[in-house]
Amino acid sequence: MPDLLSVKNLKIEATSYPPGEPPKVVTLVEGVSFDLEKGKVLGLIGESGAGKSTIGLSALAYGRGGVRITGGEVLLNGRDILNLDRAGINEVRGRHVCYVAQSAAAAFNPAHKLGDQVIEASLRHGLMSREEARKRALYLFRVLGLPNPESFGERYPHQVSGGQLQRAMTAMALCPNPELIVFDEPTTALDVTTQIDVLAAIKHAIEETHTAALYITHDLAVVAQISDNIMVLRHGKTVEYGTTKQVIEAPREDYTRALVNVRQAKREEAGDQSGALLKIEHVHAGYGNGFKVLHDVSMHLPQGQTLAIVGESGSGKSTLARVITGLLPPSEGRIMFDGKELPKALKGRAQEELRRIQMIYQMADTAMNPRQTVRDIIGRPLSFYFGMSGAKKTERVKELLDQIEMGSRFLDRYPAELSGGQKQRVAIARALAAKPELILCDEPTSALDPLVAEGILNLLMKLQEETAVSYVFITHDIAIVRAIADSVAVMHRGRLVRFGAKSKVLSPPFDDYTDLLLKSVPEMEIGWLERVLKTRRMESAGN
Amino acid sequence: MNVKSIPISAWVGIVGIAIAVLCAIFAPLIAPFGEREIVGEIWLPAGGDFVLGTDNLGRDLLSRLIYGARTTIFVALAATVLSFALGMILSFAAAVMGGFVDQLFSRFNDLMMAIPTLIFALVVLAVLPQYLWVLILVMAVLDSTRVFRIGRAVALDVAVMEFVEAARLRGEGSLWIIFREILPNTLSPLLAEFGLRFAFSILFLSTLSFLGLGIQPPAADWGGMVKDNKDGIIFGISAALVPGAAIATLAICVNLVVDWLMKRTSSLKGGRGDA
């Protein structure tokens, strides 16, 4: 049987316009070849910039702005779709090949009902009558486990949750009965507990409809659950291509091995957790007009240790960080730091109190002034808190740059000239410059590729050993918690669900929410999804 | 920045502005006749001794145009700079402090904007004594309401960024936050606005002069010159169009330069061209 999709020696280029230089042609993808049989799933995996989305879109003969497919063949049912004219391509898109985007919220038109958008492609291509299309949509809503499938199509995109929207998008792609669907990171923007439902729904729907799929993601554990074959990409080239079993269990290349083994590190927790550098006592907090976010939250953190705060989006973990920094004064309760109560509001705090607590943000991009050089960014706390200037300041900035393993050649760079990981390192150096006793880390690695994130975590651990700084580490990733925490606080809907030493919090008996959270974290193991689903009813109606 | 990277359109603008500024500075040296000197018959056609002809009183049109550049550019520039100083300080303060201060400034600004600018200016200028600085001040205050609007909008966009929050957490004062964190990141839209407002200032000043409340005769200014010569148009005499063309040309030149500057500053290192 001939392959459904056959990509041969694909080459994709784009033109970049570096400032002050002549335009340059950049090769995004080179020499990538793969075949996909009917009804099979191929996972494309790699870090950002690896070219995985670009390859995925080439299956629709599409290049994003400025991107050109300059070489190779993309054969769909033996026909090269790269050479089709406009009408021919329109015939392929939305009929033979469909696309599921990463952010369903941005991809749906907010002005139309979901049902109309789901059946639009089928009607456009004249594949079925409106009545038939409705019936098919209803069937797909059922297969995907959407709540009230009869009336679901009557809703507008803003009336359903993110997880439901992602499934509605899958329904939209499946509706015209395509032979191939390209999934572009469909679960990346979702919480872990939602991700697992969407993943299960997608897998179920693919099996039901015998559709082939290209599944693009940066998370090897996710792709292991859903695909038959995996292709690992890096810098636009194939690193490894094989069956899922082979890639996960016996990777041939070093890079793949690193991806498989990422975050396997586990840290022994500190034995004595009695002291308290930071103590949060019965804190209630909310935003204007009586909307309460935090309810009676208490926890503490001994000096030199790491407290991880885990929870999904909306659980109040970032709000808690704002309360600790004083940006959001609590309505009740108090924050004790080093035995003394901290003034509730930022304005009431002395400079010395501010110096001792520093913060690292999730998005290093927006956390640094784009018009200041690395020297200015790291140097400001030095002159502000310690009155340093001139050569002495430069000397100290260089020291800090060495500490974050970057070196003095970065002194005069702007943030825009740094990679994601480097930016986060500079943000860490800025926090360190104040010689703080506590650093609040608000998901500092969640915007980074796994290997880069691991580097940042190792750096944070090294700095803790060197300077005995304490961390409050906010994250949604249980693997990180295992790797770095001494104590753990689990938050859900603004309440503290569980708090204590890591070994205690992460071992049974569990409360319902912690159990759900722990079981939702994808593991690098084939068949994990089925195993989890067996122990847990599909509660997809809930989210 | 290198000279080669400046596009032709910007060169046109730069040359135009340079000519106007040179005329303004060296007016007594360049102008063939005096500003108020009556040198011949009224409304002589262009050519001969008088390159652009003479005006409604028999003064040399070219000389008056050159002297007029002086007043027009000086007043418009002074008013624009003042209005930006005023509008930006108030709008940034409103954006950074928020709450009551923001409400107070913004609502007062709305109140000012609710009154049609031209009528407001006419009333105020008719009441106040006719000094040049009064004119500049009135123009600046009226224009600063527009600057306040855009200044507050761009500053608010930047003020919610995390690096500003980081500066607050460090304990920085409002002045540092305004001048070091927010201002550098709002320069490109404000620069564009500056060019636009300068062009509008020239037009506004010309309007006022045309209506008799701007620069007072016999001092030359472009708007006033249009007014002086407007009656000639009925007799087919184009003297009024010459200062009008000067106003239009300068406004266009300023915008050409601002367009280029905006493109350049919108990226950190030298701009990304039109791609």
Side-chain angles (χ1 to χ4, degrees), chain A residues 328-353:
Chain A
L328 180 73
S331 54
E332 278 175 60
R334 54 182 192 164
I335 311 282
M336 305 287 288
F337 186 73
D338 202 10
K340 271 185 283 185
E341 187 182 347
L342 279 178
K344 286 193 168 66
L346 183 63
K347 272 186 186 162
R349 296 190 184 176
Q351 186 169 318
E352 184 60 13
E353 286 170 322

Short mmCIF file of all heavy atoms in Angstrom, two decimals, chain A residues 328-353:
data_model
loop_
_atom_site.label_atom_id
_atom_site.label_comp_id
_atom_site.label_asym_id
_atom_site.label_seq_id
_atom_site.Cartn_x
_atom_site.Cartn_y
_atom_site.Cartn_z
N LEU A 328 0.48 43.26 46.31
CA LEU A 328 -0.94 43.11 46.64
C LEU A 328 -1.05 42.90 48.15
O LEU A 328 -0.79 41.81 48.64
CB LEU A 328 -1.52 41.89 45.89
CG LEU A 328 -2.99 41.62 46.15
CD1 LEU A 328 -3.86 42.65 45.47
CD2 LEU A 328 -3.35 40.23 45.69
N PRO A 329 -1.41 43.93 48.89
CA PRO A 329 -1.49 43.78 50.35
C PRO A 329 -2.60 42.80 50.70
O PRO A 329 -3.68 42.86 50.13
CB PRO A 329 -1.83 45.19 50.84
CG PRO A 329 -1.51 46.09 49.70
CD PRO A 329 -1.71 45.29 48.45
N PRO A 330 -2.33 41.86 51.64
CA PRO A 330 -3.36 40.91 52.03
C PRO A 330 -4.46 41.60 52.82
O PRO A 330 -4.21 42.61 53.49
CB PRO A 330 -2.59 39.91 52.90
CG PRO A 330 -1.43 40.68 53.42
CD PRO A 330 -1.08 41.68 52.37
N SER A 331 -5.69 41.09 52.71
CA SER A 331 -6.78 41.69 53.47
C SER A 331 -6.76 41.19 54.92
O SER A 331 -7.18 41.90 55.83
CB SER A 331 -8.12 41.38 52.81
OG SER A 331 -8.27 39.99 52.63
N GLU A 332 -6.27 39.98 55.11
CA GLU A 332 -6.11 39.45 56.46
C GLU A 332 -4.81 38.66 56.49
O GLU A 332 -4.28 38.27 55.47
CB GLU A 332 -7.25 38.48 56.80
CG GLU A 332 -8.53 39.12 57.26
CD GLU A 332 -9.60 38.06 57.44
OE1 GLU A 332 -9.40 37.14 58.26
OE2 GLU A 332 -10.61 38.13 56.73
N GLY A 333 -4.31 38.40 57.71
CA GLY A 333 -3.12 37.59 57.85
C GLY A 333 -1.86 38.41 57.73
O GLY A 333 -1.91 39.61 57.47
N ARG A 334 -0.70 37.76 57.94
CA ARG A 334 0.53 38.52 57.86
C ARG A 334 1.68 37.69 57.32
O ARG A 334 1.62 36.46 57.29
CB ARG A 334 0.89 39.08 59.25
CG ARG A 334 0.95 38.01 60.31
CD ARG A 334 1.26 38.64 61.65
NE ARG A 334 1.59 37.60 62.61
CZ ARG A 334 2.19 37.83 63.75
NH1 ARG A 334 2.52 39.06 64.10
NH2 ARG A 334 2.49 36.84 64.57
N ILE A 335 2.69 38.40 56.85
CA ILE A 335 3.89 37.77 56.30
C ILE A 335 5.04 38.06 57.27
O ILE A 335 5.36 39.22 57.52
CB ILE A 335 4.25 38.38 54.93
CG1 ILE A 335 3.05 38.44 54.00
CG2 ILE A 335 5.42 37.63 54.31
CD1 ILE A 335 2.68 37.16 53.37
N MET A 336 5.64 37.01 57.82
CA MET A 336 6.78 37.19 58.71
C MET A 336 8.04 36.89 57.92
O MET A 336 8.13 35.88 57.22
CB MET A 336 6.68 36.22 59.90
CG MET A 336 5.40 36.31 60.69
SD MET A 336 5.32 37.80 61.68
CE MET A 336 6.51 37.41 62.95
N PHE A 337 9.04 37.76 58.07
CA PHE A 337 10.31 37.51 57.39
C PHE A 337 11.42 37.68 58.40
O PHE A 337 11.55 38.74 59.01
CB PHE A 337 10.47 38.49 56.22
CG PHE A 337 11.68 38.22 55.38
CD1 PHE A 337 11.72 37.13 54.52
CD2 PHE A 337 12.79 39.05 55.46
CE1 PHE A 337 12.83 36.88 53.75
CE2 PHE A 337 13.91 38.80 54.68
CZ PHE A 337 13.93 37.71 53.82
N ASP A 338 12.19 36.61 58.61
CA ASP A 338 13.29 36.65 59.57
C ASP A 338 12.81 37.11 60.94
O ASP A 338 13.44 37.95 61.59
CB ASP A 338 14.39 37.57 59.04
CG ASP A 338 15.73 37.24 59.68
OD1 ASP A 338 15.81 36.20 60.37
OD2 ASP A 338 16.68 38.03 59.51
N GLY A 339 11.66 36.61 61.36
CA GLY A 339 11.18 36.89 62.71
C GLY A 339 10.40 38.18 62.87
O GLY A 339 9.80 38.42 63.91
N LYS A 340 10.41 39.03 61.82
CA LYS A 340 9.68 40.29 61.95
C LYS A 340 8.56 40.35 60.92
O LYS A 340 8.68 39.81 59.83
CB LYS A 340 10.64 41.48 61.73
CG LYS A 340 11.31 41.92 63.03
CD LYS A 340 12.13 43.16 62.80
CE LYS A 340 13.41 42.80 62.11
NZ LYS A 340 14.39 43.80 61.89
N GLU A 341 7.50 41.06 61.27
CA GLU A 341 6.41 41.16 60.30
C GLU A 341 6.76 42.17 59.21
O GLU A 341 7.23 43.27 59.50
CB GLU A 341 5.11 41.60 61.00
CG GLU A 341 3.94 41.55 60.03
CD GLU A 341 2.62 42.01 60.66
OE1 GLU A 341 2.57 42.13 61.88
OE2 GLU A 341 1.68 42.24 59.89
N LEU A 342 6.52 41.79 57.98
CA LEU A 342 6.77 42.71 56.86
C LEU A 342 5.58 43.66 56.73
O LEU A 342 4.44 43.22 56.84
CB LEU A 342 6.91 41.93 55.56
CG LEU A 342 8.26 41.29 55.24
CD1 LEU A 342 8.14 40.54 53.92
CD2 LEU A 342 9.35 42.32 55.15
N PRO A 343 5.86 44.94 56.49
CA PRO A 343 4.73 45.84 56.20
C PRO A 343 3.92 45.26 55.03
O PRO A 343 4.50 44.71 54.09
CB PRO A 343 5.41 47.14 55.80
CG PRO A 343 6.74 47.08 56.46
CD PRO A 343 7.13 45.63 56.49
N LYS A 344 2.61 45.40 55.11
CA LYS A 344 1.75 44.74 54.12
C LYS A 344 1.97 45.27 52.70
O LYS A 344 2.04 44.51 51.75
CB LYS A 344 0.27 44.93 54.51
CG LYS A 344 -0.13 44.07 55.68
CD LYS A 344 -1.65 44.05 55.81
CE LYS A 344 -2.14 42.99 56.76
NZ LYS A 344 -1.75 43.22 58.16
N ALA A 345 2.05 46.59 52.57
CA ALA A 345 2.15 47.17 51.23
C ALA A 345 3.60 47.51 50.90
O ALA A 345 4.40 47.80 51.77
CB ALA A 345 1.30 48.43 51.14
N LEU A 346 3.89 47.45 49.61
CA LEU A 346 5.23 47.74 49.11
C LEU A 346 5.73 49.09 49.59
O LEU A 346 6.88 49.24 49.98
CB LEU A 346 5.18 47.71 47.58
CG LEU A 346 6.48 47.90 46.82
CD1 LEU A 346 7.44 46.78 47.13
CD2 LEU A 346 6.21 47.97 45.33
N LYS A 347 4.85 50.08 49.60
CA LYS A 347 5.25 51.44 49.97
C LYS A 347 5.78 51.53 51.39
O LYS A 347 6.62 52.38 51.69
CB LYS A 347 4.06 52.40 49.82
CG LYS A 347 3.93 52.97 48.44
CD LYS A 347 2.83 54.01 48.39
CE LYS A 347 2.61 54.48 46.97
NZ LYS A 347 1.34 55.14 46.80
N GLY A 348 5.24 50.67 52.26
CA GLY A 348 5.64 50.75 53.66
C GLY A 348 6.96 50.06 53.97
O GLY A 348 7.45 50.12 55.09
N ARG A 349 7.55 49.39 52.96
CA ARG A 349 8.75 48.61 53.25
C ARG A 349 10.02 49.42 53.06
O ARG A 349 10.11 50.23 52.13
CB ARG A 349 8.78 47.37 52.35
CG ARG A 349 7.63 46.45 52.64
CD ARG A 349 7.75 45.13 51.96
NE ARG A 349 6.54 44.35 52.22
CZ ARG A 349 6.28 43.16 51.70
NH1 ARG A 349 7.18 42.62 50.92
NH2 ARG A 349 5.17 42.53 51.98
N ALA A 350 10.97 49.18 53.95
CA ALA A 350 12.24 49.89 53.85
C ALA A 350 13.07 49.28 52.73
O ALA A 350 12.86 48.14 52.33
CB ALA A 350 12.99 49.78 55.18
N GLN A 351 14.03 50.06 52.22
CA GLN A 351 14.87 49.60 51.13
C GLN A 351 15.57 48.30 51.49
O GLN A 351 15.72 47.40 50.66
CB GLN A 351 15.90 50.69 50.82
CG GLN A 351 16.73 50.38 49.61
CD GLN A 351 17.53 51.60 49.18
OE1 GLN A 351 17.03 52.71 49.18
NE2 GLN A 351 18.77 51.40 48.82
N GLU A 352 16.02 48.20 52.75
CA GLU A 352 16.73 47.02 53.19
C GLU A 352 15.82 45.79 53.14
O GLU A 352 16.24 44.69 52.75
CB GLU A 352 17.25 47.26 54.62
CG GLU A 352 18.09 46.16 55.21
CD GLU A 352 19.35 45.85 54.41
OE1 GLU A 352 19.71 46.66 53.54
OE2 GLU A 352 19.95 44.79 54.65
N GLU A 353 14.55 45.98 53.50
CA GLU A 353 13.60 44.86 53.44
C GLU A 353 13.36 44.43 52.00
O GLU A 353 13.20 43.25 51.70
CB GLU A 353 12.26 45.27 54.08
CG GLU A 353 12.33 45.32 55.59
CD GLU A 353 11.09 45.95 56.23
OE1 GLU A 353 10.53 46.91 55.67
OE2 GLU A 353 10.70 45.48 57.28
#
